[in-house]
């Protein structure tokens, strides 16, 4: 458990930074009709990923504990939702 607490926050920060770069590359232009289904799902994934990233960054760098959702259940659910959205995006 000691090693997990050292590695996971840094891995999360790297994942968020690379995710931001990929969203910039993949999102594409917004058409007059509005967002496509792919862009909507990608936006939801980005929001959840950024929330997890900001939470992890605050904990690791600034030693700030979360003010809301202090347990591990909500972040775990966010990760599961991100995985399901990724699978749906693959199907679409």
């Amino acid at each position: 458990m000691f090693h997990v607490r050292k590695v996971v926050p840094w891995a999360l920060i790297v994942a968020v930074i690379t995710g931001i770069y990929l969203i910039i590359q993949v999102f594409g232009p917004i058409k007059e009709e509005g967002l496509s289904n792919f862009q909507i799902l990608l936006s939801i994934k980005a929001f959840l990923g950024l929330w997890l990233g900001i939470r992890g960054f605050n904990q690791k760098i600034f030693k700030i504990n979360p003010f809301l959702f202090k347990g591990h259940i909500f972040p775990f659910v966010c990760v599961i939702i991100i995985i399901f959205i990724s699978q749906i995006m693959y199907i679409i």
Side-chain angles (χ1 to χ4, degrees):
M1 191 63 178
F2 176 72
H3 298 296
V4 171
R5 289 181 189 256
K6 280 188 163 185
V7 173
V8 169
W10 293 110
L12 177 65
I13 291 169
V14 170
V16 169
I17 291 170
T18 57
I20 291 170
Y21 173 75
L22 287 174
I23 287 172
I24 292 168
Q25 299 298 316
V26 174
F27 196 78
I30 299 173
K31 299 178 182 175
E32 289 182 18
E33 300 87 37
L35 295 173
S36 67
N37 290 338
F38 178 81
Q39 289 172 327
I40 291 170
L41 291 173
L42 188 60
S43 299
I44 294 169
K45 275 179 56 175
F47 175 77
L48 294 173
L50 283 174
W51 183 84
L52 288 170
I54 290 169
R55 182 180 189 265
F57 186 79
N58 283 339
Q59 283 182 308
K60 185 65 180 174
I61 303 299
F62 299 120
K63 308 292 187 219
I64 298 173
N65 288 327
F67 302 114
L68 190 59
F69 306 119
K70 293 184 180 186
H72 295 292
I73 293 173
F74 185 71
F76 179 73
V77 170
C78 286
V79 170
I80 298 299
I81 291 170
I82 289 172
I83 291 170
F84 279 126
I85 290 174
S86 298
Q87 294 302 312
I88 293 169
M89 289 173 71
Y90 181 75
I91 293 171
I92 292 178

